Amino acid sequence: MGRTVLTFAEIRENELRNVSFEALAAAKDISDGGEVVAAVAGSDDDSLAETLFHYGADRVVKVENEILDHYTNDGYFQAYLQVIQTVKPDVVILGHTALGKDLSPRLAARFNAGLISDATDIEVIDEEVVFTRPIYSGKAFEKKRVKEGTIFATIRPNNIQALDKDSSRTGEVLTEEVVINDLRTVVKEVVRKATSGVDLSEAKVIVAGGRGIKSAEGFKPLEELAEELGAAVGASRGACDADYCDYSLQIGQTGKVVTPDLYIACGISGAIQHLAGMSNSKVIVAINKDPEANIFNVADYGIVGDLFEVVPLLTEEIKSLKVGV
Amino acid sequence: MDIYVLLKRTFDTEEKIVINEGKVSDEGVDFIINPYDEFAVEEAILLRDKHGGEVTVVSVGSEETEKELRTALAMGADKAVLINCEDLEAQDQHTTASILAAFFQDKDYDLILGGNVSNDNSTGQVGPRLAEQLGLPYVTMITNIEVDGNTATLKRDVEGDTEVIEATLPLLVTAQQGLNEPRYPSLPGIMKAKRKPLEEIDYDDLDIDEDEIEAKTETITTFLPPEKGAGKILDGELEVQVKELVSNLHQEAKIL
């Protein structure tokens, strides 16, 4: 029947985030021969539109207003609202990112519409869009639909496969100058996290530590392994409660829910609350001294041993694999 | 300060999920205050102790929620309101937010606090939807809040980075882990809580058009993730195990 699907692309450090390409793939499926529109705000880089075409956009809307250089709830709300009113989509898709989580409920509420948050899969069944999403932090899943009206959805990073890049694709670029007034919340300062690089929710590989880490310094070998793998570092509640690391690293039912391609659990016993946050990872490696540890029940590969011996060996082995020895 | 806290009763985080006829079974399940809402309750109490005023905890739920509301009162909240909507059939986040919006219509408030998500459905929608309906500014995922007169300074967790945000009251905020460490109710607290006001109202006591609060979304089915096959515990010398692991990841799982 053909739907118009609008996705809002997100930029981090001047690059489009992966989840924006995943959203385009989802949009393509849902559009059912209709149109995929990508809107991008917060950059005047023309090459971004090209890239969005390569990954499936039929039309790109450049949203312009210098206030959008930094995210504010009121600023982005007014901008996105105006884009939605212009494009008049049947479906709106955002990433389930900090921005998407903050903004999507307000947009849906304004349109008096249904919102499916944190979808991990999208199918079109008998012309109906059906979303799969985790509940109880991934201990179970539900299939959901929006009953009527505009469909709003956020998609979880790393779950929907982006389309292969097709550099021959191109399309029409529109510029939408948006009017923004009255920012009721003002961002005074942004403090970048101490740990470098990869964000947990989007990481392809995660190295996580638990109580077995024994101290804040105990994260050192994990960080070295993570660096070698281009991975993000995470932690169990045990490690956070013991003050070995910041709560922003916590993975579990309270904390972040992650689904990387590879999850390396070091000194993590595997409490239900932790498993809820990571057991849907594609491949799980467990390293633990205790052969009875629950984590081995969900692991694809297990090594029974002291993480302080195993992890450095693993780092070395991966180094040598990389140089092709 | 007039402070309200939004609270939801949820499964204990250690519960396993059992599905019965396409629905999550709550038979024999232990319930708790949603952990993120517990941070909100604690923060509300701290703010009241510092600035004076009153903390009212509100829940849209079933009669059983009285237990969790009593716990919040035992922690130190002053009043509780249970909006019973057991009879309501089609409910989702739009429903909850709309019921709360009707509740807040004739209330005075400086601050509304909630958890940033519930640990069951984890949509994080109710806070922002409510704020939009009330025309309030909001800040999600806060790890710190300081109030000075009419101004709030907040720290917000943005995928590990921290934003420092300034906003004017009235304001709605949602709590992220790290905001505080919720207290356990003390024995005197529990005794006092028994005498604190806990008002129960029915959702249709509020000024609500039932058609307007009907759920916008619908769950078709609920299922458990496929069970993982047994993993492979490696053996031999540690060096050998590590080599085998890397070669497995490289060749079998094609990850490295």
Side-chain angles (χ1 to χ4, degrees):
Chain A
M1 67 191 202
R3 297 181 185 86
T4 300
V5 186
L6 171 63
T7 68
F8 287 101
E10 251 187 84
I11 299 169
R12 188 160 57 196
E13 281 156 20
N14 304 319
E15 303 244 4
L16 288 160
R17 293 180 69 162
N18 249 334
V19 67
S20 302
F21 304 137
E22 294 161 7
L24 287 172
K28 190 105 202 158
D29 266 352
I30 296 171
S31 73
D32 210 359
E35 192 186 29
V36 176
V37 185
V40 59
S43 170
D44 49 16
D45 182 350
D46 286 326
S47 72
L48 296 180
E50 297 304 312
T51 311
L52 290 166
F53 290 132
H54 297 164
Y55 282 96
D58 299 314
R59 190 151 58 109
V60 170
V61 180
K62 277 182 70 183
V63 190
E64 293 195 345
N65 187 316
E66 59 189 24
I67 295 174
L68 300 173
D69 289 353
H70 299 285
Y71 177 76
T72 53
N73 181 282
D74 278 340
Y76 269 68
F77 176 74
Q78 292 171 60
Y80 282 19
L81 189 62
Q82 192 177 319
V83 173
I84 295 170
Q85 281 160 346
T86 305
V87 176
K88 297 186 179 61
D90 303 298
V91 184
V92 179
I93 299 179
L94 290 90
H96 198 67
T97 57
L99 185 156
K101 285 184 234 180
D102 191 59
L103 206 56
S104 61
R106 185 174 175 195
L107 288 167
R110 172 60 67 97
F111 287 94
N112 209 11
L115 163 63
I116 311 284
S117 303
D118 203 15
T120 53
D121 192 27
I122 300 178
E123 314 152 86
V124 179
I125 302 170
D126 296 336
E127 302 215 331
E128 178 128 67
V129 189
V130 176
F131 298 86
T132 302
R133 63 181 302 275
I135 50 174
Y136 298 91
S137 307
K139 289 177 188 169
F141 286 82
E142 63 177 356
K143 283 187 193 274
K144 266 190 109 106
R145 67 182 196 100
V146 173
K147 292 200 285 191
E148 54 177 18
T150 311
I151 298 171
F152 284 79
T154 61
I155 60 163
R156 175 181 292 202
N158 255 346
N159 281 266
I160 292 164
Q161 181 82 37
L163 300 169
D164 288 333
K165 186 174 178 174
D166 176 356
S167 304
S168 69
R169 289 188 91 256
T170 182
E172 183 192 6
V173 182
L174 296 170
T175 303
E176 179 91 15
E177 285 187 30
V178 291
V179 181
I180 296 170
N181 38 47
D182 190 23
L183 299 183
R184 297 171 301 173
T185 58
V186 182
V187 179
K188 290 285 179 190
E189 192 190 347
V190 180
V191 185
R192 302 269 168 218
K193 61 186 152 193
T195 48
S196 63
V198 194
D199 178 61
L200 272 177
S201 63
E202 255 184 310
K204 296 273 184 208
V205 182
I206 292 174
V207 181
R211 267 191 200 281
I213 294 294
K214 292 195 185 113
S215 68
E217 292 73 53
F219 268 101
K220 194 119 215 184
L222 273 61
E223 281 159 9
E224 285 163 8
L225 174 60
E227 168 126 22
E228 208 49 56
L229 290 166
V233 175
S236 71
R237 181 161 85 183
C240 296
D241 283 347
D243 247 347
Y244 302 161
C245 64
D246 193 77
Y247 276 114
S248 63
L249 298 189
Q250 184 175 322
I251 293 164
Q253 190 158 3
T254 44
K256 298 204 166 61
V257 177
V258 296
T259 44
D261 293 342
L262 174 61
Y263 190 92
I264 304 177
C266 310
I268 291 176
S269 62
I272 288 177
Q273 107 93 25
H274 183 72
L275 298 186
M278 49 63 77
S279 57
N280 293 311
S281 304
K282 288 182 196 92
V283 174
I284 296 169
V285 172
I287 299 163
N288 202 300
K289 267 202 287 205
D290 175 10
E292 302 295 318
N294 199 29
I295 191 80
F296 288 119
N297 294 328
V298 298
D300 299 279
Y301 302 101
I303 292 183
V304 179
D306 182 354
L307 73 96
F308 293 106
E309 286 178 55
V310 178
V311 173
L313 283 172
L314 188 53
T315 309
E316 284 312 310
E317 189 60 31
I318 286 163
K319 259 188 206 163
S320 60
L321 177 79
K322 273 204 199 158
V323 292
V325 185
Chain B
M1 276 216 295
D2 291 321
I3 307 173
Y4 283 84
V5 182
L6 314 175
L7 180 149
K8 185 177 188 182
R9 163 189 163 93
T10 61
F11 282 25
D12 192 305
T13 50
E14 292 300 318
E15 290 290 345
K16 283 192 172 152
I17 301 299
V18 176
I19 307 254
N20 217 333
E21 291 172 4
K23 285 194 174 130
V24 174
S25 162
D26 62 1
E27 215 179 287
V29 165
D30 285 333
F31 283 86
I32 54 170
I33 298 176
N34 171 40
Y36 294 94
D37 300 346
E38 211 178 5
F39 299 132
V41 174
E42 175 67 30
E43 200 63 25
I45 295 166
L46 294 172
L47 286 167
R48 179 209 54 202
D49 290 349
K50 206 165 164 187
H51 301 279
E54 201 171 61
V55 174
T56 308
V57 184
V58 189
S59 187
V60 175
S62 62
E63 211 164 307
E64 286 81 26
T65 312
E66 203 181 311
K67 179 177 148 275
E68 283 69 35
L69 288 172
R70 285 281 173 216
T71 305
L73 293 172
M75 286 170 74
D78 302 292
K79 295 199 293 192
V81 181
L82 170 58
I83 307 172
N84 195 323
C85 62
E86 267 170 299
D87 299 338
L88 200 55
E89 284 204 352
Q91 297 182 36
D92 70 356
Q93 294 75 29
H94 163 74
T95 315
T96 309
S98 302
I99 291 173
L100 287 167
F103 168 80
F104 278 106
Q105 224 162 44
D106 59 353
K107 303 286 183 292
D108 286 322
Y109 45 80
D110 299 298
L111 193 64
I112 302 175
L113 294 113
N116 88 75
V117 288
S118 61
N119 73 358
D120 45 15
N121 286 323
S122 295
T123 70
Q125 290 186 27
V126 171
R129 274 183 182 272
L130 173 61
E132 171 61 19
Q133 290 203 32
L134 295 175
L136 277 185
Y138 65 87
V139 181
T140 56
M141 313 258 287
I142 65 158
T143 55
N144 192 265
I145 175 168
E146 303 282 341
V147 176
D148 184 7
N150 218 15
T151 308
T153 307
L154 310 113
K155 287 191 178 146
R156 171 167 186 260
D157 170 27
V158 187
E159 293 166 1
D161 292 344
T162 303
E163 279 178 2
V164 181
I165 293 178
E166 216 172 80
T168 311
L169 305 183
L171 178 71
L172 184 146
V173 297
T174 69
Q176 167 69 321
Q177 182 144 42
L179 179 61
N180 54 44
E181 280 187 34
R183 69 194 70 189
Y184 290 102
S186 66
L187 199 55
I190 293 168
M191 298 310 288
K192 259 197 232 166
K194 289 181 180 163
R195 294 187 304 273
K196 287 182 179 172
L198 193 161
E199 185 190 359
E200 189 180 329
I201 56 178
D202 209 74
Y203 76 93
D204 57 17
D205 295 339
L206 297 165
D207 181 16
I208 281 176
D209 178 347
E210 201 146 321
D211 291 341
E212 275 171 24
I213 62 169
E214 194 187 311
K216 299 286 177 191
T217 59
E218 182 178 65
T219 298
I220 302 163
T221 182
T222 306
F223 57 97
L224 296 176
E227 283 221 17
K228 278 203 121 166
K232 193 169 177 180
I233 302 283
L234 306 174
D235 56 16
E237 292 290 315
L238 275 188
E239 284 84 352
V240 179
Q241 291 189 40
V242 168
K243 271 197 197 324
E244 194 186 337
L245 171 64
V246 172
S247 105
N248 272 322
L249 290 177
H250 183 50
Q251 279 157 12
E252 240 179 78
K254 305 218 178 295
I255 286 183
L256 297 177

